[in-house]
Amino acid sequence: MKTQPLILSKDQERRLIAGHCWIYSNEVDTKATPLKDFQPGQPVAIRSDHDRWIGHGYANPHSLICARVVSRDPTQPLSPTLWLKRIHDALALRERLYTRPFYRLIFGESDGMPGLVVDRYGDLLAVQITTAGMERVQGEILAALEQVLRPKAIVLRNDTSVREMEGLTQGVEVILGSPEDTLPLIENDLEFLVSPLTGQKTGWFFDQAENRTRLARYGVGRRVLDVCSYIGAWGLRAAALGAEQVVCVDSSLPALERVAENAARNRLAERVQGRHGDAFEVLRALREEDARFDTVLLDPPAFIKRRKDEKDGMQAYLRLNRLGMELLEPGGLLVTSSCSFHMGRDVFVRTVQQAARRAGRTLQLLETGQQGPDHPVHPAIPETAYLKTLFFRVLPEF
């Protein structure tokens, strides 16, 4: 497909020159380059209104983000050569960071490949494509991944609702090999069975790995509550650190069944139990039972996925953290997370503080975590810094 020019409106290049790569439909000079003339995923050469070079990218006239910059080098258009270079660069970072092949290999914009996520599970790659531009070059991307990593299996996890905004269909497809939906993953010397074909996201949450490692420095006490536990990453880590009783709460029965499997696999079954139900309802029930814990771990899904969810989402974070704190012993540890980009770190801290006031508790913020280095943050693209994990000591009000 021929590369066509995409001309920006007057004074719309500043954010892109600073390093961002998203172009919104209201930033395009639609008289000079009508968006209706572009096909979804079509490669474009992006220029300012006064003909300043911005970069090579791709367009989608049906999306609010109507174009994305991929290469700022005029001599390096979108091509198999570019994908190979980007994958080699991304792999070099991960091999520098990790001794085992379990990590996020490609993190979209931060690795110069907007619209692409690749998670590595040993010899299996789970690939997620979220934009029409990457969909158009899917064959080139998969060929480059095969050439660089020589995986035994590749799975397309294109079952995310984000694709709808790009006019793309959803589905899961095995591209290479005949992988089983259960394979082992190692984190902190614990072995977990994960499901890259059917599990949440691509089967595992690599972004919290560094934060789970940090638990060791604080001590978790005898009793630990892991809320929104999924398949037990946080809870089993707490059990391995010496907790005598870990209660894992999740709304998914299959996830809790996997918690039990993973606990048995690591000889922690006697210390770990599951509790099925809605997180808020279970927390209220535990409060009625007068249950108390030394550590409470809160790692919910994003309550604020869009700007319009902000008010309700903040109330959900407020309620969840208040309920969690009400179950803590004096001096207990609260580890609470938000993966909502639209809730910034400072707002999240204030929300948890407000929850503490309502619960009659005093907080001491010990540490702030973010996503691990396999999810690098692009300094010019704040959207790539989405995860906040806060470590608090919780005391009676004083």
Side-chain angles (χ1 to χ4, degrees):
M1 189 178 292
K2 182 181 178 182
T3 300
Q4 289 186 219
L6 182 74
I7 309 301
L8 302 177
S9 298
K10 182 177 173 59
D11 298 328
Q12 295 300 321
E13 70 273 19
R14 188 175 305 165
R15 184 170 48 85
L16 300 171
I17 291 170
H20 212 297
C21 71
W22 295 357
I23 300 168
Y24 293 93
S25 54
N26 62 359
E27 297 173 332
V28 175
D29 184 343
T30 53
K31 290 184 178 179
T33 51
L35 287 175
K36 62 181 177 60
D37 291 349
F38 295 96
Q39 297 296 315
Q42 182 169 352
V44 291
I46 303 155
R47 294 182 177 275
S48 73
D49 68 305
H50 51 279
D51 204 34
R52 177 172 180 174
W53 170 257
I54 303 297
H56 289 290
Y58 57 77
N60 185 353
H62 306 310
S63 175
L64 176 63
I65 304 174
C66 71
R68 287 171 167 85
V69 179
V70 180
S71 168
R72 298 177 189 274
D73 182 350
T75 67
Q76 186 61 79
L78 279 60
S79 67
T81 301
L82 178 62
W83 311 138
L84 281 170
K85 180 182 185 307
R86 295 285 162 84
I87 293 169
H88 275 296
D89 287 345
L91 180 62
L93 171 64
R94 279 67 178 184
E95 289 186 333
R96 180 177 179 180
L97 295 170
Y98 302 102
T99 58
R100 295 187 176 108
F102 303 107
Y103 44 71
R104 176 149 293 182
L105 173 65
I106 303 289
F107 182 48
E109 285 81 355
S110 294
D111 285 301
M113 304 184 78
L116 179 69
V117 165
V118 181
D119 284 342
R120 187 178 188 185
Y121 298 92
D123 290 325
L124 181 145
L125 300 180
V127 179
Q128 190 167 85
I129 293 172
T130 58
T131 61
M134 282 295 160
E135 183 94 341
R136 187 189 71 84
V137 295
Q138 173 183 300
E140 296 176 4
I141 297 292
L142 295 174
L145 287 168
E146 284 194 58
Q147 181 175 335
V148 175
L149 288 118
R150 304 294 182 188
K152 294 180 180 178
I154 297 178
V155 178
L156 270 181
R157 284 299 305 267
N158 288 342
D159 52 346
T160 174
S161 60
V162 176
R163 286 172 58 87
E164 294 177 1
M165 293 187 286
E166 289 275 319
L168 303 174
T169 58
Q170 297 184 50
V172 178
E173 183 181 358
V174 175
I175 298 297
L176 176 68
S178 302
E180 296 184 4
D181 192 30
T182 301
L183 56 82
L185 171 147
I186 298 172
E187 181 182 295
N188 286 316
D189 295 324
L190 293 173
E191 188 171 279
F192 297 86
L193 294 177
V194 299
S195 298
L197 278 77
T198 60
Q200 292 181 30
K201 301 297 183 179
T202 68
W204 187 250
F205 292 85
F206 286 115
D207 53 359
Q208 285 279 29
E210 299 287 321
N211 296 319
R212 289 189 284 261
T213 299
R214 290 186 173 97
L215 267 182
R217 72 178 302 180
Y218 297 108
V220 294
R222 294 191 313 107
R223 299 195 70 209
V224 174
L225 179 63
D226 179 10
V227 182
C228 303
S229 66
Y230 186 41
I231 60 176
W234 282 101
L236 266 65
R237 173 67 172 156
L241 290 172
E244 296 173 12
Q245 182 185 18
V246 178
V247 179
C248 291
V249 178
D250 204 272
S251 60
S252 167
L253 273 175
L256 291 177
E257 290 169 357
R258 184 55 57 84
V259 169
E261 285 183 79
N262 286 332
R265 196 174 187 87
N266 291 279
R267 300 181 181 180
L268 297 169
E270 293 182 359
R271 302 185 186 185
V272 179
Q273 66 186 71
R275 186 145 176 173
H276 178 243
D278 172 80
F280 296 95
E281 293 176 3
V282 172
L283 287 172
R284 291 188 190 100
L286 288 168
R287 183 178 61 187
E288 291 299 313
E289 296 165 18
D290 202 28
R292 292 293 181 270
F293 298 90
D294 300 297
T295 295
V296 170
L297 308 162
L298 305 176
D299 191 11
F303 290 142
I304 307 173
K305 294 183 178 179
R306 294 161 295 183
R307 279 288 182 194
K308 68 178 185 178
D309 302 329
E310 197 163 359
K311 183 177 179 181
D312 290 342
M314 287 182 66
Q315 287 301 311
Y317 283 114
L318 183 66
R319 291 197 307 273
L320 187 71
N321 282 277
R322 177 179 58 80
L323 288 164
M325 278 184 261
E326 289 174 346
L327 297 171
L328 271 171
E329 294 282 9
L333 180 69
L334 173 70
V335 182
T336 181
S337 297
S338 167
C339 58
S340 299
F341 161 71
H342 293 295
M343 172 175 266
R345 175 193 175 277
D346 291 343
V347 174
F348 187 37
V349 172
R350 287 198 299 270
T351 301
V352 180
Q353 168 63 10
Q354 187 179 357
R357 301 301 297 166
R358 294 190 180 184
R361 302 291 192 271
T362 294
L363 295 179
Q364 295 173 323
L365 180 58
L366 309 177
E367 186 172 357
T368 300
Q370 63 177 33
Q371 68 249 32
D374 58 340
H375 294 64
V377 173
H378 192 305
I381 307 177
E383 292 84 356
T384 61
Y386 66 94
L387 182 64
K388 289 78 57 180
T389 297
L390 310 176
F391 292 73
F392 287 103
R393 184 177 181 227
V394 181
L395 295 161
E397 195 167 48
F398 60 80

